[in-house]
Amino acid sequence: MKDQDLYNYILGVADNSLILGQRLGELCGHGPNLETDIALTNIALDLFGQTRSYYQYAAKIAGDGRTEDDIAMLRNERDYKNVLLVEQPNTHFGHVIARQFLFDVYHLQLMNALQHSKDEMLVAIARKGVKEVSYHKRFSGDWLKRLGDGTDESKQNIQEAIDHFWPYTDELFDMTDSDKKIADQGIGVDMTTLKDDYYKQISEVLEEATLTIPDNPYSKRGGKQGIHTEHMGYILTELQYMQRTYPNMTW
């Protein structure tokens, strides 16, 4: 392989969007109203579109004959490097919005920073994706404020969701060996430098939503090393079914 570290870095970025897109795809036809249902489906499609661009680039770097589809859907569970946050289930609408918002703030930081990469392909993907991710963040942030400053029930549910997902946020800023090498080359992003701003942005929106900022020092991590929660296997069963049941099929 021409550049194993760059390949690993791209998978680390792309897998987050793939798995979150798959989670959001489960909600198609199940949104609280038609407008929100369509919005969540469109966000899933945005994430899949970004994922496709990343995997096409990864396949080119790998140079072993695999396609974007092979990389996306024919790896084993331990080969996916997404953070644990994005694989958590759609327990209720508050969970969907809290998970989305906590990821969107990070994702927009990443897209903004990647536009300054020395890698022209990553710059191109980021410049296209930043417009979509800006909308994602606005959508989830608006819903967070609406739920937090809404009824007693909506406030209770969204606060519970924020508290539940808070321990998963720290992993967003973990750096693997490949992440560090690619960042040192000016290609990837050193996300540790953006961590303080991330929590500052999150805290400002939570305060506006009249929600309590969690005080929980415990962190859950492992996804970037391929060690996932029990939910990941079920996600991959759905995602990979057609490719594994009918190998080498053509449309």
Side-chain angles (χ1 to χ4, degrees):
M1 187 176 296
K2 181 170 63 175
D3 193 332
Q4 183 70 54
D5 288 318
L6 180 57
Y7 176 82
N8 291 340
Y9 179 77
I10 293 171
L11 291 191
V13 174
D15 288 351
N16 286 331
S17 294
L18 174 72
I19 299 304
L20 183 56
Q22 180 71 11
R23 272 295 187 218
L24 293 176
E26 297 172 4
L27 296 168
C28 185
H30 299 281
N33 55 52
L34 181 60
E35 181 181 7
T36 306
D37 189 293
I38 293 173
L40 290 170
T41 302
N42 282 334
I43 291 173
L45 291 174
D46 288 343
L47 293 172
F48 285 136
Q50 295 164 22
T51 298
R52 186 181 183 196
S53 297
Y54 287 125
Y55 288 152
Q56 286 174 338
Y57 189 26
K60 182 178 179 181
I61 294 171
D64 55 8
R66 284 184 295 165
T67 67
E68 61 191 91
D69 291 335
D70 295 329
I71 295 174
M73 292 174 278
L74 292 181
R75 283 178 286 154
N76 294 324
E77 180 178 321
R78 291 295 293 267
D79 296 325
Y80 288 84
K81 307 304 180 184
N82 56 279
V83 294
L84 300 181
L85 173 67
V86 298
E87 65 194 52
Q88 301 310 301
N90 304 314
T91 305
H92 57 64
F93 186 63
H95 273 229
V96 173
I97 293 302
R99 183 190 61 204
Q100 191 67 38
F101 177 70
L102 293 174
F103 179 76
D104 287 341
V105 175
Y106 154 83
H107 199 192
L108 186 56
Q109 286 182 311
L110 176 63
M111 290 291 99
N112 283 327
L114 272 181
Q115 293 181 77
H116 304 288
S117 171
K118 292 182 179 179
D119 187 298
E120 294 183 359
M121 183 62 72
L122 291 180
V123 170
I125 297 172
R127 284 179 177 171
K128 180 180 183 297
V130 71
K131 299 176 183 178
E132 299 168 340
V133 177
S134 295
Y135 163 74
H136 301 170
K137 179 188 172 186
R138 185 169 66 252
F139 172 84
S140 60
D142 286 348
W143 261 111
L144 189 80
K145 289 179 242 182
R146 188 182 304 178
L147 294 172
D149 200 23
T151 66
D152 290 341
E153 182 179 5
S154 71
K155 183 182 183 70
Q156 179 181 346
N157 284 342
I158 194 65
Q159 182 69 65
E160 178 271 323
I162 289 292
D163 293 344
H164 174 77
F165 289 123
W166 195 257
Y168 294 100
T169 57
D170 201 50
E171 188 189 13
L172 293 166
F173 303 93
D174 286 352
M175 298 282 286
T176 66
D177 290 341
S178 291
D179 291 344
K180 294 174 184 176
K181 291 177 182 177
I182 295 302
D184 288 343
Q185 295 174 32
I187 296 174
V189 179
D190 182 355
M191 292 303 300
T192 61
T193 63
L194 301 176
K195 184 175 180 178
D196 289 343
D197 180 62
Y198 171 84
Y199 284 110
K200 180 176 181 291
Q201 291 187 54
I202 296 292
S203 298
E204 289 173 352
V205 175
L206 290 180
E207 289 177 1
E208 188 175 351
T210 69
L211 295 171
T212 302
I213 300 169
D215 182 19
N216 184 355
Y218 179 66
S219 296
K220 297 182 180 181
R221 47 181 24 98
K224 287 191 173 184
Q225 287 71 44
I227 304 172
H228 298 282
T229 63
E230 67 273 18
H231 309 296
M232 188 66 171
Y234 294 101
I235 295 173
L236 294 182
T237 298
E238 293 283 346
L239 178 67
Q240 298 182 347
Y241 174 78
M242 291 293 288
Q243 281 70 20
R244 291 195 181 276
T245 305
Y246 304 101
N248 302 316
M249 67 177 179
T250 57
W251 297 97

